[in-house]
Amino acid sequence: LFTVTRQYVIVAKWMLFAILLCLSGWSAAQIAFAVSEEVVKGTVVGNLAKDLNINAQQLEERGFRIVSTYSKKYFEANLRTGALFVNERIDREELCPNIAKCSLNIEGLLSHPMNIYRIEVSILDINDNAPSFSEQIHVFNVSESSSTGERYPLPTAQDADTGSNSVKTYKLSPNEYFSIEASKDGVSAELVLQKALDREKQPVITLILTAVDGGKPARSGTLQINVNVIDANDNPPIFSKSLYKVRVRENTGHGTVVIKLNATDLDEGMNSKILYSLVKRGTIDRSNIFDVNSDTGEITVKGTLDFEDTPAYEVRVQAMDQGTVPRSAHAKVLIEIIDVNDNAPEISVTSLMTPVREDAELGTIVALVTVSDKDGGNNGVTHCKVVGSFPFKLQSNYKNDFSLVVDGPLDRENTPIYNVTITATDEGSPPLSSMKVVTVHVSDVNDNAPLFKEPVINVYLKENSPTGSVIYTITAFDSDLDTNAKLTYTLLESSQRNIPISSVVNINSETGDIVSLQSFNFEELKTFQFKVQATDSGVPPLSSNVTVNVFVLDENDNSPSILAPYSEHGSVNSESIPYSAEAGYFVAKIRAVDADSGYNALLSYHLSEPKGNNLFRIGTSTGEIRTKRRMSDNDLKSHPLVVLVSDNGEPSLSATVSIDVVVVESTADIQTPFRHVPIKEESFSDLNLYLLISIVSVSLIFLLSLITLIAVKCHRTDGTFSRYSAPMITTHPDGSWSYSKATQQYDVCFSSDTLKSDVVVFPAPFPPVDAELISINGGDTFTRTQTLPNKDKVGYNLSRPCAKFNNYELLKLVQCEYSDFAFHGAELCLFVVYGQKQQCFMPVKSILLVISVVEDVLYLD
């Protein structure tokens, strides 16, 4: 009960000491507790929640934990109650051997925000070790002539306990010759002769020395002392001082004299000759550090003096004479070691969070840094700092404990690893310093979106490329790492001419390969556009888009097509010229188109004539067949001509047309140039019938043209004409022709200088559904308006004035595949040619009168 009460008193003292430290203001970061050694596991040391002035629930919420540098985790915290309890067996003698005060320093860490508390637990000694002697029997040789009162140092007992539990007193077994006298501190004792010895009466005296500690209950140890009574020398040596004090610098070289002892003996001869020696006391042996000259008494340095290891030495010396029965004297030499600044500061680092997130907030703790210096005084005062420019700084926690915290923004993409250099310098002269490099790894955060090399990508694809071929590989780059940099490619859903882009191309989500899902035809689709999105796998994911323009490149996959009236395959066309025709006489004009574009659609015309026939020539770019010279009597009356039309593609494609030129005697015999293009679905006889009807009807058309024009102008918008009324062709006083059907009307302007005009009527491939008006009149204007528009079509409005013709030719209406201007499928297209360049200018829905004009200038918008 007394022991328990005493322990509680000690604990109360420590708690009072901690309260006083907190009130002083400078130690608010340290908490002091005390606990006895050898207590059972689970013993409560103190209440952390109460001492930290926080709620016990916050300890668990903020992840309170105990951090220490010891091999065992001696203490642990109960996060529910806030109690600090013993977690491992504590042996003070094992933790702090030969040290009076024993304490364990641990740290308590709180997160959110991070707080560090230094906890010092003092280990209180209990009397769990009995005193012991290094030997079982000790022998004294005492002369019988020894005077009463002579003293003989007794061997000291060793007790692993400290304080009151250490050796406090010595006891000697009862005898008539000797008594014992202990020092005031009870550490040592001397055997005192109380009565003169008589060797003849008792040559050997056996004593029992008992060492008793101050524990409750007390523990003890014994030593047997044998005293041999020697007859002879009756004067012992005497030292000049009983205690010698000397100071010597650490790191003093071997052999350096520390002090010279002086002892005298009143005897003469060998009884006065003194020999000096070091005395071993228990387990303490100074002979490995110091040496003494047995003759001169000089104590010299033998080993290494280190202030940090032992700041002072206590050396026991003996002076013994050389008498038959030697007598001795003993003295104490206290050697103090003077500190020299021979130890650089030591930096130890305990990492807490590695790697550090690149979005870590300012003040985030990265590592704990402790600086220590074994030197004393100013030599042990240190200063610590971070060297160089880093986004980190040292923040002082307590004395020589620091925290390395974030002091600036981190960017893993620029610097993934920081080698932070920490230096510590003491205040010695000269000062010593040390350096520690802390490697801080920065972990990645998804803060970078994928990037494309360019915002718009142009892809050039040849038409007729096979389905499933890779037309382009999209590549994006993400500066992040691992999952944050793993990209997935997707097509952003859109429509291209009302067709979903997903039905045109597909993309590999991992490689970025864009694969075609169909074969492209330049004549149908020249270009299309879509967007690709690259998304990383971070949380949350980031993405970016790129626009892809696909340009279909034309291939020479279309042969030239001969336009009407010479377009019938396998047929032979006939033209007539008068015998009186001059050189340069216009015979016929071959017109052809090529569905390709560029050089693949650049056509050239060549004439294949029989040998010896040099009567005709053809314009390579215009296709006009003219005579080279006047007729002669030797010329044939019929000249079969074969016209070859070739494009400039690689390889070149071509088409041929046969024309039989018949020479007649006079212009009256020349047949009318109007022809009707045969319809493929009907027989050849039907075509002749239609041609005959057209020729007969031409006179009626001229007469009715004026009436028809007035009627159309009056009723253009009132819708009184039937949608499917019979077509009407009329002529105008200015020489122009017009064709009208329902609300559709096409006017064509003739120049008075036109050498030859062809009027060919084409039937529509299907009933017209849009009412359109196109007019070219004598006022040199060309306008096209759309009336009664179809809701599914987009009209093409030409409102810019245009009239004059020069090098432009308004070609015949042909059936073609045309998808620009939102017209799909088979359409009738109006072709315009300039030089050798042909273009399908506008789609129409019905028939058109086609003419050739060679001189005026046409401006088209």
Side-chain angles (χ1 to χ4, degrees):
L1 180 61
F2 179 79
T3 303
V4 174
T5 304
R6 189 170 181 275
Q7 292 177 355
Y8 278 113
V9 171
I10 295 173
V11 171
K13 289 181 179 179
W14 279 103
M15 292 179 65
L16 179 59
F17 178 70
I19 294 173
L20 292 175
L21 289 179
C22 293
L23 293 176
S24 63
W26 59 268
S27 58
Q30 182 171 2
I31 305 172
F33 296 102
V35 66
S36 298
E37 67 172 333
E38 302 295 346
V39 296
V40 296
K41 294 182 180 180
T43 300
V44 176
V45 179
N47 194 313
L48 291 172
K50 180 179 179 181
D51 292 341
L52 296 178
N53 195 25
I54 61 176
N55 194 320
Q57 184 180 359
Q58 293 184 5
L59 293 177
E60 185 173 5
E61 292 176 350
R62 296 176 62 186
F64 182 84
R65 62 187 185 277
I66 299 298
V67 178
S68 67
T69 58
Y70 301 102
S71 59
K72 296 181 180 179
K73 196 168 186 179
Y74 291 101
F75 300 97
E76 190 55 86
N78 189 326
L79 300 184
R80 294 185 178 180
T81 63
L84 180 69
F85 63 90
V86 176
N87 192 51
E88 291 285 347
R89 174 181 172 270
I90 302 176
D91 187 357
R92 191 202 65 80
E93 289 73 25
E94 179 183 351
L95 292 174
C96 309
N98 302 321
I99 297 178
K101 180 181 178 181
C102 181
S103 61
L104 297 180
N105 294 319
I106 59 177
E107 280 96 18
L109 301 182
L110 275 176
S111 303
H112 314 300
M114 177 69 72
N115 292 325
I116 302 175
Y117 300 93
R118 185 180 178 89
I119 303 172
E120 182 179 12
V121 181
S122 297
I123 309 302
L124 305 180
D125 185 43
I126 64 173
N127 192 24
D128 57 340
N129 293 279
S132 63
F133 293 90
S134 61
E135 54 189 356
Q136 294 181 351
I137 300 175
H138 187 76
V139 177
F140 284 100
N141 294 318
V142 181
S143 175
E144 65 176 337
S145 60
S146 298
S147 303
T148 58
E150 286 189 13
R151 298 172 179 271
Y152 305 95
L154 291 172
T156 58
Q158 304 298 319
D159 195 333
D161 297 324
T162 61
S164 61
N165 296 322
S166 63
V167 176
K168 293 300 180 182
T169 184
Y170 292 88
K171 296 180 181 180
L172 193 63
S173 60
N175 67 92
E176 62 178 320
Y177 295 103
F178 295 95
S179 65
I180 189 170
E181 185 174 335
S183 61
K184 293 181 180 181
D185 56 3
V187 175
S188 61
E190 293 179 332
L191 190 65
V192 181
L193 183 60
Q194 298 292 337
K195 182 181 178 181
L197 299 176
D198 187 358
R199 186 193 65 81
E200 289 74 18
K201 181 179 179 180
Q202 190 176 357
V204 178
I205 302 172
T206 301
L207 305 172
I208 300 298
L209 178 63
T210 303
V212 182
D213 62 23
K216 303 287 185 180
R219 292 176 178 266
S220 63
T222 60
L223 171 67
Q224 179 180 333
I225 299 177
N226 294 333
V227 180
N228 297 323
V229 181
I230 306 299
D231 189 26
N233 196 10
D234 36 273
N235 284 296
I238 300 174
F239 281 100
S240 59
K241 294 181 179 179
S242 61
L243 176 64
Y244 294 89
K245 292 183 179 181
V246 64
R247 302 181 68 191
V248 61
R249 294 171 61 88
E250 67 173 327
N251 301 328
T252 299
H254 295 177
T256 302
V257 176
V258 177
I259 192 174
K260 184 177 181 180
L261 303 176
N262 183 27
T264 60
D265 195 318
L266 298 178
D267 295 326
E268 293 182 351
M270 293 301 293
N271 291 331
S272 64
K273 183 175 176 60
I274 299 174
L275 295 178
Y276 299 92
S277 63
L278 300 179
V279 179
K280 179 181 179 182
R281 299 180 64 250
T283 59
I284 302 176
D285 186 8
R286 303 303 185 189
S287 61
N288 59 340
I289 303 297
F290 300 99
D291 193 12
V292 62
N293 190 309
S294 61
D295 295 327
T296 62
E298 291 181 344
I299 297 178
T300 57
V301 177
K302 181 180 179 181
T304 302
L305 302 181
D306 191 351
F307 172 84
E308 292 73 34
D309 185 23
T310 306
Y313 295 91
E314 182 181 312
V315 180
R316 296 297 180 113
V317 294
Q318 174 182 272
M320 180 178 291
D321 60 24
Q322 299 299 305
T324 303
V325 181
R327 304 186 69 176
S328 63
H330 298 82
K332 183 190 296 185
V333 180
L334 184 60
I335 303 174
E336 182 182 355
I337 307 301
I338 302 174
D339 182 41
V340 174
N341 191 26
D342 59 344
N343 290 279
E346 295 180 358
I347 304 174
S348 60
V349 177
T350 303
S351 296
L352 292 181
M353 186 172 63
T354 179
V356 181
R357 288 172 58 91
E358 61 177 321
D359 61 350
E361 297 180 356
L362 298 181
T364 300
I365 295 178
V366 178
L368 294 180
V369 180
T370 301
V371 181
S372 60
D373 196 318
K374 295 180 180 179
D375 295 323
N378 290 336
N379 295 331
V381 178
T382 60
H383 301 279
C384 190
K385 64 179 180 179
V386 174
V387 179
S389 178
F390 295 100
F392 303 97
K393 70 176 181 179
L394 284 176
Q395 181 175 296
S396 178
N397 295 332
Y398 176 79
K399 292 185 179 179
N400 291 330
D401 293 334
F402 302 88
S403 294
L404 183 65
V405 300
V406 177
D407 191 41
L410 304 178
D411 189 356
R412 187 208 61 79
E413 288 71 33
N414 290 332
T415 310
I417 298 177
Y418 290 93
N419 292 317
V420 183
T421 302
I422 301 175
T423 61
T425 306
D426 59 28
E427 294 184 358
S429 180
L432 299 178
S433 63
S434 61
M435 181 181 66
K436 184 78 172 182
V437 177
V438 180
T439 300
V440 180
H441 295 268
V442 181
S443 63
D444 185 49
V445 174
N446 192 27
D447 56 349
N448 291 278
L451 295 177
F452 293 94
K453 294 182 180 179
E454 49 191 10
V456 178
I457 297 176
N458 294 327
V459 179
Y460 297 92
L461 174 66
K462 290 184 178 181
E463 66 172 329
N464 303 324
S465 60
T467 301
S469 60
V470 177
I471 64 174
Y472 193 79
T473 299
I474 294 288
T475 303
F477 173 76
D478 197 312
S479 300
D480 296 320
L481 283 180
D482 301 331
T483 304
N484 296 331
K486 185 178 180 181
L487 302 182
T488 301
Y489 301 94
T490 56
L491 287 175
L492 294 182
E493 189 61 38
S494 62
S495 297
Q496 187 70 29
R497 304 187 185 279
N498 296 327
I499 301 175
I501 197 65
S502 58
S503 64
V504 179
V505 294
N506 192 16
I507 188 168
N508 189 311
S509 61
E510 295 182 357
T511 63
D513 292 340
I514 300 176
V515 181
S516 63
L517 300 180
Q518 64 182 41
S519 180
F520 297 98
N521 189 349
F522 174 82
E523 289 72 36
E524 296 178 357
L525 181 65
K526 295 179 176 58
T527 180
F528 62 92
Q529 182 185 89
F530 58 90
K531 289 187 177 181
V532 175
Q533 184 179 76
T535 306
D536 58 31
S537 301
V539 179
L542 301 178
S543 63
S544 60
N545 302 334
V546 65
T547 300
V548 180
N549 293 321
V550 180
F551 297 94
V552 181
L553 301 180
D554 183 46
E555 291 287 313
N556 192 27
D557 57 347
N558 291 280
S559 300
S561 298
I562 308 298
L563 298 180
Y566 308 109
S567 58
E568 180 65 21
H569 179 68
S571 63
V572 178
N573 301 277
S574 178
E575 294 288 347
S576 300
I577 61 173
Y579 180 80
S580 60
E582 299 290 334
Y585 182 83
F586 181 83
V587 177
K589 182 178 180 68
I590 305 301
R591 298 177 178 87
V593 294
D594 196 313
D596 296 320
S597 65
Y599 283 99
N600 295 330
L602 183 61
L603 303 180
S604 60
Y605 301 85
H606 304 279
L607 192 61
S608 299
E609 301 180 70
K611 291 184 179 180
N613 188 352
N614 57 354
L615 181 60
F616 302 97
R617 60 181 174 86
I618 188 171
T620 57
S621 59
T622 62
E624 293 180 352
I625 302 176
R626 296 179 182 271
T627 58
K628 290 184 181 180
R629 55 180 174 79
R630 288 179 58 86
M631 293 289 179
S632 66
D633 296 337
N634 296 329
D635 292 326
L636 299 176
K637 298 301 181 181
S638 178
H639 299 270
L641 302 179
V642 178
V643 179
L644 176 67
V645 183
S646 303
D647 59 27
N648 281 273
E650 289 293 338
S652 176
L653 300 179
S654 62
T656 59
V657 61
S658 298
I659 298 177
D660 191 4
V661 180
V662 179
V663 180
V664 297
E665 292 299 330
S666 64
T667 58
D669 297 330
I670 299 177
Q671 297 179 357
T672 176
F674 294 101
R675 299 179 180 87
H676 193 287
V677 175
I679 299 177
K680 296 181 181 180
E681 291 76 11
E682 299 179 0
S683 62
F684 182 77
S685 59
D686 292 338
L687 177 61
N688 292 336
L689 178 61
Y690 292 147
L691 181 59
L692 179 61
I693 294 174
S694 299
I695 296 174
V696 173
S697 301
V698 86
S699 59
L700 296 177
I701 293 174
F702 277 104
L703 296 176
L704 299 176
S705 61
L706 182 58
I707 300 174
T708 303
L709 178 61
I710 295 174
V712 170
K713 289 183 178 180
C714 293
H715 301 281
R716 179 177 298 173
T717 59
D718 58 6
T720 56
F721 289 113
S722 173
R723 183 176 182 85
Y724 301 105
S725 59
M728 182 178 295
I729 300 177
T730 60
T731 182
H732 299 280
D734 56 0
S736 64
W737 291 62
S738 66
Y739 165 82
S740 64
K741 181 179 181 181
T743 58
Q744 299 177 341
Q745 176 174 318
Y746 298 87
D747 296 338
V748 180
C749 176
F750 286 86
S751 171
S752 59
D753 297 331
T754 302
L755 296 179
K756 185 175 183 180
S757 300
D758 296 334
V759 180
V760 181
V761 179
F762 284 80
F766 42 80
V769 296
D770 290 339
E772 299 174 343
L773 175 61
I774 301 177
S775 64
I776 303 176
N777 52 48
D780 291 345
T781 61
F782 179 20
T783 61
R784 174 183 185 270
T785 60
Q786 179 176 349
T787 62
L788 302 178
N790 187 301
K791 63 180 180 180
D792 295 328
K793 304 292 180 77
V794 178
Y796 185 67
N797 184 24
L798 294 175
S799 58
R800 181 175 175 180
C802 54
K804 295 192 175 183
F805 296 82
N806 185 13
N807 294 330
Y808 279 88
E809 296 175 347
L810 197 61
L811 299 184
K812 297 176 179 64
L813 191 68
V814 298
Q815 184 170 344
C816 65
E817 293 292 326
Y818 192 80
S819 60
D820 290 352
F821 312 115
F823 290 97
H824 302 285
E827 303 283 353
L828 293 178
C829 302
L830 178 64
F831 276 84
V832 177
V833 63
Y834 176 71
Q836 294 296 320
K837 186 174 182 180
Q838 302 181 25
Q839 180 180 0
C840 184
F841 180 69
M842 72 176 73
V844 296
K845 286 291 190 176
S846 187
I847 63 175
L848 181 68
L849 297 177
V850 181
I851 65 170
S852 298
V853 182
V854 297
E855 295 203 342
D856 290 343
V857 178
L858 172 64
Y859 296 94
L860 299 178
D861 190 2

